[in-house]
């Protein structure tokens, strides 16, 4: 979970070591090539380079941004109960699709592999067994992909489930099963739009005296304008991510039976405009909120998912919505309460029991801005809706 406080006007200055300073300077130097002839760089291009440049970006560099030693953690690191509850939903989908048929789990953006390892551990101890399962890790960062595979391969062997790295959701053929994406849509490069009272304009950056500074272009952004009635107050900023929408379309192209489960912080477009008029861009470095322009390639950047656009893209691509709800509600539907009872009963000490209860509190209340979007391939939508 990225520490988020988009209303803060005084984020910390990131404290960089020499290696981080060198990398950040290298990103700034590369940024010049990403600029339009007038020097303007749309925000999504800046975010693309800062996060994904091979060897330089937050996800391309040697030090992992995930976990307590990194920059942020996600729900998968809070407690295995998160992944175990996701595994319960996977078991339900598998039961609906038929346990005697092959079933694939594709995880987009597995990061360090924590969720995959937990899910495989939970599936291996389920009474129906793991026959016919396989697990594909689709990780954009080659370094994190290797880390994830190393961690997950042994869990796969113990569970009797083949685990492979794959280059895209459908690269190994059509998917009959479940596609998972935890905190992946918010990490897609986003465009930032600003309402000037008459039209939406585009925000981005410029390089001035070797530093990245926020900038605005008066050209009309090449994405559909928000249809908001009444129009927002002048100065309102909204983020949209064509890349996140493209990822959903890609999953829709390959998911032939089963579900796509996307878990992320975000909101509807109208809620974003009303609740976050300055936008939702956040940067974190070593668990502190920092200035998003000070340390490209070092500080993680993310924006809230614009679920209005993502849900519309899913509908247009032929996926059917099974659920759109809070993370707490989804975990509840999928079976968290029974798993918590079992974990509490199995706790070896009063201290361990308190740790379980505190983690559950964090999963339910610490992720209050998180939404779960469950989308089904059309042939299986009706049956899956009945088990929601
Ligand atoms: C915020 S991290 C979340 C990691 C993990 N899912 C978790 O919950 O801890 C986002 C991850 O998505 C990966 N990623 C981003 N875009 C991707 C894409 N188009 N395909 C596959 N992985 C992607 C990043 O490299 C990174 O590992």
């Amino acid at each position: 979970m990225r520490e988020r406080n988009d209303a803060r006007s005084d984020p910390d200055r990131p404290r960089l070591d020499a290696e981080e300073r060198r990398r950040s300077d290298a990103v700034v130097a590369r940024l010049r090539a990403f600029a339009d002839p007038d020097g303007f760089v749309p925000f999504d291009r800046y975010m693309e380079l800062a996060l994904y440049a091979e060897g330089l970006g937050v996800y391309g560099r040697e030090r992992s941004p995930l976990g307590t030693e990194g920059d942020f953690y996600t729900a998968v690191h809070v407690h295995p109960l998160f992944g175990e509850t996701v595994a319960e939903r996977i078991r339900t989908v598998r039961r609906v699709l038929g346990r005697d048929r092959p079933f694939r789990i594709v995880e987009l953006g597995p990061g360090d592999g924590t969720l995959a390892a937990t899910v495989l551990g939970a599936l291996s101890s389920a009474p129906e067994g793991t026959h016919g399962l396989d697990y594909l890790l689709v990780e954009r960062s080659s370094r994190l992909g290797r880390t994830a595979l190393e961690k997950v391969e042994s869990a796969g062997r113990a569970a009797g489930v083949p685990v492979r790295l794959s280059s895209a959701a459908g690269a190994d053929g059509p998917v009959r099963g479940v596609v998972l994406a935890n905190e992946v849509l918010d990490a897609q490069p986003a465009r930032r739009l600003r309402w000037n009272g008459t039209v939406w304009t585009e925000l981005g950056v410029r390089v001035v005296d070797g530093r990245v500074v926020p900038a605005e272009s008066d050209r009309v952004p090449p994405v559909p304008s928000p249809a908001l009635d009444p129009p927002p107050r002048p100065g309102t900023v909204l983020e949209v991510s064509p890349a996140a929408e493209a990822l959903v379309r890609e999953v829709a192209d390959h998911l032939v039976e089963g579900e796509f489960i996307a878990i992320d912080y975000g909101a509807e477009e109208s809620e974003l405009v009303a609740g976050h008029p300055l936008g939702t861009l956040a940067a974190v470095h070593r668990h502190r909120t920092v200035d998003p322009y000070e340390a490209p390639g070092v500080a993680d950047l993310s924006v809230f998912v614009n679920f209005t656009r993502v849900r519309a893209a899913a509908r247009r691509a032929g996926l059917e919505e099974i659920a759109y709800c809070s993370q707490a509600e989804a975990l509840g539907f999928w079976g968290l309460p029974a798993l918590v009872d079992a974990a509490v009963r199995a706790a070896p000490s009063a201290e361990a029991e308190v740790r379980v209860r505190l983690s559950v509190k964090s999963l339910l209340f610490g992720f209050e801005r998180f939404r779960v979007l469950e989308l089904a391939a059309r042939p299986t939508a009706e049956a899956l809706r009945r088990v929601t």
Side-chain angles (χ1 to χ4, degrees):
M1 170 172 55
R2 283 35 160 230
E3 291 301 318
R4 306 197 55 105
N5 193 346
D6 39 79
R8 269 183 72 178
S9 54
D10 61 339
D12 294 332
R13 295 201 65 176
R15 293 188 205 126
L16 309 190
D17 61 29
E19 196 278 324
E20 289 175 327
R21 173 57 57 207
R22 183 201 58 74
R23 191 150 33 79
S24 187
D25 288 346
V27 170
V28 177
R30 285 269 287 277
L31 195 57
R32 292 177 204 279
F34 277 57
D36 288 346
D38 62 358
F40 179 76
V41 184
F43 195 82
D44 60 342
R45 260 187 248 159
Y46 171 61
M47 194 165 165
E48 168 75 30
L49 186 66
L51 294 186
Y52 299 109
E54 195 62 40
L56 288 179
V58 168
Y59 295 109
R61 70 189 185 205
E62 213 30 59
R63 181 176 74 83
S64 168
L66 292 146
T68 41
E69 297 297 303
D71 299 296
F72 61 88
Y73 62 91
T74 71
V76 308
H77 304 101
V78 170
H79 197 278
L81 278 166
F82 178 80
E84 286 161 11
T85 310
V86 171
E88 283 301 297
R89 182 61 188 169
I90 293 173
R91 290 180 63 207
T92 304
V93 175
R94 186 169 168 228
R95 180 163 49 77
V96 169
L97 267 54
R99 284 183 192 138
D100 48 347
R101 301 171 63 208
F103 187 96
R104 172 162 289 169
I105 304 166
V106 177
E107 187 180 344
L108 303 179
D112 60 9
T114 302
L115 178 62
T118 312
V119 164
L120 284 165
L123 295 177
S124 71
S125 51
E128 68 274 12
T130 56
H131 179 74
L133 288 183
D134 68 353
Y135 202 116
L136 299 190
L137 304 164
V138 179
E139 175 48 65
R140 184 169 179 189
S141 150
S142 46
R143 204 199 55 75
L144 278 173
R146 285 193 300 277
T147 307
L149 185 64
E150 225 167 81
K151 180 172 192 157
V152 181
E153 258 179 336
S154 56
R157 262 195 306 279
V161 177
V163 177
R164 294 196 299 285
L165 272 182
S166 185
S167 57
D172 287 44
V175 181
R176 202 188 146 273
V178 166
V179 180
L180 294 174
N182 188 57
E183 290 209 35
V184 180
L185 296 180
D186 68 281
Q188 301 310 306
R191 299 193 94 110
R192 307 192 75 221
L193 318 181
R194 185 173 172 278
W195 177 246
N196 70 7
T198 311
V199 290
W200 289 92
T201 61
E202 178 145 40
L203 300 181
V205 301
R206 287 179 191 279
V207 179
V208 178
D209 296 333
R211 297 188 56 171
V212 177
V213 296
E216 180 165 5
S217 159
D218 56 8
R219 69 180 167 212
V220 177
V223 288
S225 292
L228 296 166
D229 188 21
R233 289 227 294 270
T236 297
V237 174
L238 176 75
E239 286 99 6
V240 302
S241 174
E245 294 162 40
L247 197 55
V248 172
R249 280 196 297 276
E250 192 188 335
V251 172
D253 273 353
H254 300 287
L255 183 68
V256 291
E257 286 180 60
E259 257 185 32
F260 175 28
I261 302 175
I263 307 174
D264 232 307
Y265 41 73
E268 290 286 346
E269 198 153 280
S270 55
E271 295 169 328
L272 291 170
V273 162
H276 306 273
L278 300 178
T280 64
L281 171 64
V284 291
H285 177 239
R286 299 189 192 276
H287 301 273
R288 291 156 67 103
T289 306
V290 295
D291 185 303
Y293 307 100
E294 287 258 346
V298 175
D300 178 58
L301 301 175
S302 66
V303 298
F304 274 35
V305 174
N306 183 323
F307 274 111
T308 299
R309 304 225 173 188
V310 164
R311 293 168 78 188
R315 267 195 308 277
R316 281 196 300 273
L319 293 174
E320 293 215 10
E321 198 165 298
I322 298 290
Y324 171 64
C325 59
S326 70
Q327 175 171 304
E329 283 172 302
L331 293 177
F333 289 140
W334 295 341
L336 178 67
L339 293 176
V340 174
D341 286 348
V344 165
R345 275 197 307 275
S349 64
E351 245 176 44
E353 182 184 328
V354 169
R355 270 201 300 277
V356 170
R357 292 194 189 282
L358 285 176
S359 302
V360 172
K361 198 169 156 201
S362 166
L363 287 176
L364 294 179
F365 305 113
F367 290 75
E368 62 186 327
R369 288 144 157 184
F370 278 65
R371 298 283 170 273
V372 171
L373 180 59
E374 269 183 84
L375 301 159
R378 204 159 269 160
T380 42
E382 210 32 62
L384 287 168
R385 197 167 275 123
R386 281 199 293 272
V387 289
T388 297

